[in-house]
Amino acid sequence: MNAVNSAILDPAIGWAVLAGFSVLWIFLGWYWGRNSAELDDYVLAGRRVGLALGTATAMATWVTSNTTMAAPQIALQMGIWGMLGYSLGAVGLLMFAPLAARIRRLMPGGYTSGDFVRLRYGKAAWRVFLLISLCYSLGWLVSMGMAGGVLINALTGITYHYGMTVILLICVGYTLLGGFRAVIGTDFIQALLILSGLILIAFLAIDKVGIDTIHAAALEERPELMNLLMPAAIMFLFNNLLFGVGEIFHSNVWWSRAFSFREGVGKKAYALAGLLWAPIPIVAGFVALAVPALDLNVPAADMVGPMVAAKVLGTTGAVLVLIMVFSALSSSLDSLLAATSILVVEDIYRRHLKPEASAAHLRRATAWIIVGLGVLTWLLCAPRITTLAELLYFTGAFVASTIWPIAAGLFLRNASQGGAIAGMVLGSAAGLYSYFAIGFYVAALVGATVSLVCVVLGMLVRPADFQWADLRESRPDHHGDTA
């Protein structure tokens, strides 16, 4: 894919921006991670993250390529409900707030979401959960790598493969050097850049085009975008809510933060992050409604965001968009690389292959896994066989099935192993079927509903009597030793 002729920015400007941020992020990664020799420091920032950094990293991580690229795409396809429905992703952060506090209290020495499922439901449920979680993580990594290539190409004319390669190299580089400390620190800066850029872009876009003009043109040329009774859009509204909850409840990206926050920080940090995030997809999606007014020819739906912003704001605006969305991509890619690497190391490498591995050995293994994830993501991004939204919502068929096993397992003693396994397996199967048989906008809704029925039936037919103390697993090597 190459859009040199339609790009707003000269490729030289694009390369200069990318080079500048590459140097900055790599330096900060080295600086913040220079003392992260121990496993806890490298993967969980020493479990001492405070409220300001905690809120910033949660909010910035949730402002993904999917928010900045797929939200305009959904708005272009489903109109107002698509735009507002995407903002319901904030509900996941808000609902995870009390869960984060409970996770930190019940498992003060935990490392991953897999630790919880293994201890709470047993090894069979744990392995099902790992399969779902790793499939989702890989899908999210690929979607963000693709978004990096699409964005950089649309704004600068730099080819898709070069742009995708650069953003993966940068994120792998500073995450490798600094671990979770680098992720948390850069997320704080990236959150400031994202919020500042969105506010400025929204103000300038409305000032230049005008809400009345956008509304009138959309009614005349694309009236379906204003239709509040579009059935698919209404289904998407509820589907996206459950998809967002499922993404956050199961993903080690969010569990690792719960483990890394200081006692008492998690609940406040996630609640604030949810409130700050909610308006972002509305602003990002709003730009798609301007397509009829601007008379733009959008060759691919997932390119609509950067194309509208560049058209409205010109060269300066295109640079701003490049910086803002590059920050959003980086803040999510680094978080996912860090969280997925410790999930692979802790739940697969240590638990299945090297049960006697020391903390120092696991620290080195985590670094190698970060590199491996970067290479695998590049290989899967290279063909670009689908759009961002299609890839994103395919994973929704899996993750929504984990909502009720996680929530019930954290708060109800009688949540059973059989119900959890059936909920994840049958929920995922039902979600996948509905994805292909009906559409992407119902996959998470169907999967979550089937999972709920299974979990409730499991508690009624064969209730468990779980003891919360069993979640406090003894692990003598938390702070590292010699290999």
Side-chain angles (χ1 to χ4, degrees), residues 330-341:
S330 300
S331 68
S332 300
L333 265 170
D334 60 12
S335 298
L336 195 52
L337 285 168
T340 305
S341 64

Side-chain angles (χ1 to χ4, degrees), residues 13 87 94 113 196 229 299 322 358 389 422 441:
I13 298 176
S87 71
L94 294 170
S113 53
S196 301
L229 298 178
L322 180 59
S358 67
Y441 46 84

Side-chain angles (χ1 to χ4, degrees), residues 259-279:
F259 292 132
S260 71
F261 294 159
R262 287 201 308 264
E263 186 73 32
V265 166
K267 185 174 182 179
K268 296 176 184 176
Y270 276 108
L272 287 172
L275 295 174
L276 289 171
W277 185 89

Side-chain angles (χ1 to χ4, degrees), residues 463-480:
D465 185 21
F466 187 76
Q467 302 302 310
W468 300 121
D470 291 345
L471 291 174
R472 290 179 173 258
E473 186 176 37
S474 174
R475 178 165 176 164
D477 60 349
H478 278 193
H479 298 291

Side-chain angles (χ1 to χ4, degrees), residues 15-54:
W15 281 118
V17 173
L18 294 179
F21 275 92
S22 298
V23 172
L24 175 62
W25 297 148
I26 293 293
F27 169 77
L28 290 175
W30 166 81
Y31 180 79
W32 279 316
R34 66 194 188 283
N35 296 320
S36 297
E38 295 182 350
L39 181 64
D40 270 22
D41 283 331
Y42 191 67
V43 301
L44 294 174
R47 304 181 191 264
R48 296 186 298 272
V49 178
L51 181 60
L53 287 177

